[in-house]
């Protein structure tokens, strides 16, 4: 009888849903290799180390984010945030939102351009590392939420719809210290289809 030992991990590394060079020239393959394979995977590895033997070991990532604090929260939230961030980008994105989300954006911000401007401003003015989020409550209202470090609107009872990673590791290889430009170029690879689907799932 042959025994097969399967190496298991508590939290799977979610592969990129596109090739590493799919987002060029806006996000380089080099950036994605570092961002996904080193930074994101590093948070997952660290989280596994921290939760081993604790009550968090059998929880979903999202539940850990909602219920933990300190180092476990930081690594769980960074793991969750990165999967969410990578998922919303595409080689052939749709550049404008439609449907319910489009109506909510127009009602709340006046236009999609105005929403982009406000998120760009929030992202460029966030001091240090963190995330800027578009999020919704259960009633479909929209919020722009700035969070330092690993922060997420999940802990405010909101559902995230899209995010901008403003940690330097997200853009420094391609844009050096030009965060403003990095944030503006992110819209070129943001797939509004994904954001719309998240809004539909959260509200309708
Ligand atoms: Mn990142």
């Amino acid at each position: 009888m042959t025994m097969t030992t399967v190496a298991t991990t508590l939290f799977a590394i979610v592969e990129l849903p596109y090739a590493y060079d799919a987002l060029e020239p806006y996000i380089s393959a080099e950036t994605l290799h570092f961002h996904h394979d080193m930074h994101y995977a590093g948070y997952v590895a660290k989280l596994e180390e921290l939760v081993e033997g604790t009550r968090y070991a059998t929880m979903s990532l999202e539940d850990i984010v909602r219920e933990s604090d300190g180092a476990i929260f930081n690594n769980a939230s960074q793991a969750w945030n990165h999967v969410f961030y990578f998922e919303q980008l595409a080689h052939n994105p749709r550049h404008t939102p439609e449907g319910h989300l489009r109506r909510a954006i127009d009602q709340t911000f006046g236009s999609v351009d105005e929403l982009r401007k406000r998120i760009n401003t929030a992202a460029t003015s966030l001091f240090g590392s963190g995330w800027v989020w578009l999020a919704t409550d259960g009633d479909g209202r929209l919020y722009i939420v700035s969070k330092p470090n690993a922060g997420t609107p999940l802990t405010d009872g909101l559902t995230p719809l899209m995010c901008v990673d403003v940690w330097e590791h997200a853009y420094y290889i391609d844009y050096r210290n030009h965060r403003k430009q990095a944030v503006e170029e992110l819209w070129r690879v943001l797939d509004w289809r994904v954001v719309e689907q998240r809004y539909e799932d959260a509200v309708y």
Side-chain angles (χ1 to χ4, degrees):
M1 191 176 137
T2 310
M3 295 288 288
T4 307
T5 306
V6 180
T8 55
T9 53
L10 295 174
F11 306 103
I13 300 282
V14 179
E15 295 303 325
L16 289 177
Y18 35 75
Y20 283 92
D21 62 359
L23 307 180
E24 290 189 343
Y26 308 110
I27 298 175
S28 68
E30 189 184 3
T31 288
L32 279 180
H33 273 292
F34 273 92
H35 204 178
H36 179 278
D37 305 352
M38 308 295 284
H39 291 281
Y40 158 62
Y43 294 121
V44 175
K46 185 68 185 172
L47 179 66
E48 292 193 347
E49 198 183 303
L50 290 169
V51 302
E52 203 186 338
T54 74
R55 70 187 183 95
Y56 297 112
T58 54
M59 281 187 193
S60 72
L61 202 50
E62 196 169 316
D63 284 343
I64 299 174
V65 170
R66 291 183 204 277
E67 295 187 25
S68 65
D69 54 22
I72 291 181
F73 170 81
N74 286 336
N75 286 280
S77 194
Q78 284 295 80
W80 195 97
N81 295 354
H82 279 91
V83 173
F84 189 85
Y85 168 84
F86 292 131
E87 239 175 29
Q88 69 191 356
L89 307 177
H91 176 67
N92 282 310
R94 198 174 77 226
H95 293 290
T96 50
E98 297 171 1
H100 292 127
L101 177 60
R102 175 58 177 270
R103 282 202 290 280
I105 289 171
D106 288 345
Q107 279 169 12
T108 309
F109 304 103
S111 67
V112 178
D113 270 350
E114 184 59 27
L115 168 67
R116 284 198 196 97
K117 273 185 212 160
R118 292 202 200 177
I119 288 179
N120 291 350
T121 300
T124 48
S125 59
L126 179 61
F127 184 80
S129 296
W131 299 80
V132 173
W133 301 86
L134 179 66
T136 185
D137 58 22
D139 296 323
R141 281 185 288 264
L142 297 174
Y143 304 88
I144 294 170
V145 183
S146 292
K147 293 281 184 179
N149 304 317
T152 164
L154 282 176
T155 56
D156 301 329
L158 297 174
T159 303
L161 300 174
M162 68 82 65
C163 64
V164 181
D165 183 346
V166 296
W167 286 60
E168 282 186 346
H169 68 226
Y171 61 83
Y172 212 84
I173 291 169
D174 298 331
Y175 297 93
R176 299 301 171 189
N177 57 321
H178 303 293
R179 183 192 284 188
K180 182 171 184 283
Q181 191 193 351
V183 172
E184 285 168 1
E185 301 288 18
L186 183 71
W187 296 105
R188 297 179 183 272
V189 287
L190 177 79
D191 191 354
W192 279 102
R193 279 173 292 219
V194 176
V195 186
E196 260 171 54
Q197 190 57 54
R198 290 168 174 171
Y199 188 69
E200 291 295 316
D201 292 346
V203 181
Y204 292 93

